[in-house]
Amino acid sequence: MLRQYTRHNYTFSESRANLLRIHVYYDDLTVTMIQQTGAYDVSSFIAELGGTFDLFIGVSIFSVLQLGEILLGTIISRVLKRTRPESEEKKHSELEITEL
């Protein structure tokens, strides 16, 4: 489409005849400047992100420690039941009944 217009060699009078002039008028010459700023700057964002990760890691470590405590308690109780002779188990159960 651009080639269509570049093929013709317009003279000055032809160009002037095809010229369009627009006048734009403003009611008010004041300028309103709108500035947009971010809710977080870089340092606040990094601090917020670090706090969130810190909370997540802290909860995860606490959960792992609780799970380890439960597993260790279960393993110790099973090992003690296997290594303790039956006569000691009866004595302990009789002591518990008589103490009540």
Side-chain angles (χ1 to χ4, degrees), residues 3-96:
R3 289 182 184 176
Q4 179 184 8
Y5 293 110
T6 56
R7 284 186 203 161
H8 301 291
N9 291 331
Y10 289 110
T11 63
F12 181 73
S13 60
E14 289 175 335
S15 297
R16 190 172 178 120
N18 292 322
L19 184 67
L20 177 67
R21 184 179 289 179
I22 298 176
H23 293 281
V24 178
Y25 296 99
Y26 293 103
D27 292 337
D28 192 9
L29 292 178
T30 59
V31 176
T32 304
M33 188 158 192
I34 299 173
Q35 187 174 10
Q36 193 173 19
T37 59
Y40 285 107
D41 57 344
V42 175
S43 61
S44 297
F45 178 71
I46 291 173
E48 187 80 25
L49 195 62
T52 304
F53 282 143
D54 214 16
L55 181 65
F56 176 70
I57 289 171
V59 170
S60 297
I61 290 173
F62 186 68
S63 298
V64 168
L65 290 176
Q66 281 184 330
L67 183 64
E69 180 185 9
I70 291 169
L71 289 174
L72 187 64
T74 305
I75 291 170
I76 289 174
S77 67
R78 290 193 181 200
V79 168
L80 287 179
K81 279 185 180 180
R82 288 185 184 167
T83 58
R84 190 176 354 170
E86 289 182 24
S87 59
E88 284 186 28
E89 280 185 33
K90 288 182 183 177
K91 288 180 188 177
H92 287 293
S93 62
E94 289 174 4
L95 284 175
E96 289 175 7

